């Protein structure tokens, strides 16, 4: 398929829709991004690349990093991991404290903030140099050694991160955080602060489109069974409280972030990232969602 032409075609179809929604502002630095940015990049498992628009511009990947930290922690901790975090959709906002109280400090899944904070705690417990080892993991997957945490964005979030600190404190009170709260939260904010382009991020996600193996060099990143499970969690929990709608309209496992990015995978075929900073009421990229819906309908390439 000539995906390049399809991107142009799908983008034309979106011209008649209003680019609604607002750029995230609760992390002050995110609000400075131009709302009209729009990029797409696809990597196929056979090594082809297709880019469109602002696909080579860096953006804050935010919660999309939760898939990468989960992949690393799952590989280290194996099924023990699921004693500390569940795999059910939360049906609540991604930063909700209420549910955590009812669930005795065990987050519903690794993609809500509480779950990703537990994953950060596991990485701190298991790795000698968590910050370095995590960014090395991302650099290896993306094929770009320059990728880094963004101090400016991390600092901006740290200045307003009281709710995440509250989640961490609550879980600590239930015994589900092993390390010092400050260290866990700082690491969590660093993970969210990473900046990448659509093309770097699509390449990073390629192993999940290829049963855990990086198709570009044949390296096994995780087992195919783990890849299956991570994709399943993405399918059910990757789009905040809009995962059902996303499954219904797009039909691919995916993960979004408040920076306006959405990463999706089609196992056996491709990984793809769209970026458009305006978010809908559920916190997902408005135009990104519409683009993916049109794209999978046009190409008939959902997993269903
Ligand atoms: N760093 C953000 C937070 O913790 C991530 C939110 C997101 O992208 O879902 O609120």
């Amino acid at each position: 398929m000539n995906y390049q032409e399809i991107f142009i075609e799908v983008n034309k179809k979106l011209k008649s829709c209003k680019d609604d929604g607002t750029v995230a502002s609760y992390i002050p630095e995110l609000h400075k991004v131009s709302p009209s940015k729009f990029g797409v990049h696809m990597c196929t498992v056979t090594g082809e690349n297709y880019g469109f628009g602002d696909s080579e511009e860096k953006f804050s990947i935010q919660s999309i990093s939760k898939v990468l930290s989960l992949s690393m922690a799952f590989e280290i901790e194996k099924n023990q991991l699921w004693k500390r975090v569940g795999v059910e959709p939360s049906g609540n906002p991604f930063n909700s404290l209420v549910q955590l109280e009812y669930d005795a400090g065990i987050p519903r899944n690794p993609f809500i903030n509480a779950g990703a904070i537990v994953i950060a705690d596991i990485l701190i417990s298991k790795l000698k140099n968590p910050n370095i080892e995590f960014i090395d993991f991302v650099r290896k997957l993306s094929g770009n050694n320059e990728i880094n945490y963004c101090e400016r964005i991390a600092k901006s979030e740290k200045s307003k991160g009281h709710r995440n600190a509250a989640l961490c404190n609550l879980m600590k009170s239930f015994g589900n955080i092993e390390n010092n709260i400050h260290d866990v939260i700082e690491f969590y904010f660093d993970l969210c602060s990473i900046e990448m382009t659509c093309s770097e991020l699509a390449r990073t996600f390629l192993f999940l489109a290829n049963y855990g193996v990086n198709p570009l060099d044949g390296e096994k990143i995780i087992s195919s069974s783990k890849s299956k499970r991570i994709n399943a969690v993405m399918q059910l929990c990757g789009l905040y409280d809009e995962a059902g709608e996303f499954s219904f309209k797009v039909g691919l496992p995916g993960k979004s972030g408040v920076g306006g990015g959405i990463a999706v995978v089609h196992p056996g075929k491709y990984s793809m990232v769209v970026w458009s900073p305006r978010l809908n009421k559920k916190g997902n990229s408005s135009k990104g969602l519409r683009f993916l819906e049109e794209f999978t309908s046009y190409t008939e390439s959902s997993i269903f």
Side-chain angles (χ1 to χ4, degrees), residues 26-27 62-63 66 94 113 157 164 188-189 192 240 257-258:
Y26 79 102
I27 300 172
Q62 288 296 319
S63 267
K66 292 179 167 106
F94 68 102
N113 286 7
E157 184 164 13
N164 284 319
Y188 168 78
F189 289 140
C192 295
Y240 308 117
V258 291

Side-chain angles (χ1 to χ4, degrees), residues 26-27 30 60-66 94-95 111-114 116-117 153 157 161 163-164 167 188-189 191-193 240 255-261 279 283-284:
Y26 79 102
I27 300 172
L30 292 185
S60 180
I61 71 168
Q62 288 296 319
S63 267
I64 301 174
S65 69
K66 292 179 167 106
F94 68 102
N95 54 6
F111 295 154
I112 50 173
N113 286 7
I117 291 169
I153 292 174
E157 184 164 13
R163 181 171 277 269
N164 284 319
L167 290 168
Y188 168 78
F189 289 140
L191 300 177
C192 295
S193 78
Y240 308 117
K255 181 73 199 88
S256 57
V258 291
L279 308 180
N284 291 310

Side-chain angles (χ1 to χ4, degrees), residues 120-162:
D121 183 56
I122 291 172
L123 291 177
I124 293 177
S125 294
K126 299 289 166 171
L127 302 174
K128 254 203 195 116
N129 294 300
N131 276 69
I132 295 173
E133 289 174 58
F134 182 77
I135 206 70
D136 279 349
F137 179 63
V138 179
R139 287 174 178 163
K140 181 176 76 173
L141 290 172
S142 66
N144 181 352
N145 263 329
E146 312 269 285
I147 284 172
N148 220 334
Y149 303 109
C150 174
E151 228 182 288
R152 180 177 48 81
I153 292 174
K155 212 170 143 204
S156 175
E157 184 164 13
K158 283 170 196 174
S159 73
K160 302 275 176 189
H162 314 299

Side-chain angles (χ1 to χ4, degrees), residues 27-44:
I27 300 172
E29 278 301 312
L30 292 185
H31 201 54
K32 296 183 180 163
V33 178
S34 161
S36 59
K37 294 284 176 191
F38 181 67
V40 187
H41 193 96
M42 171 195 272
C43 296
T44 69

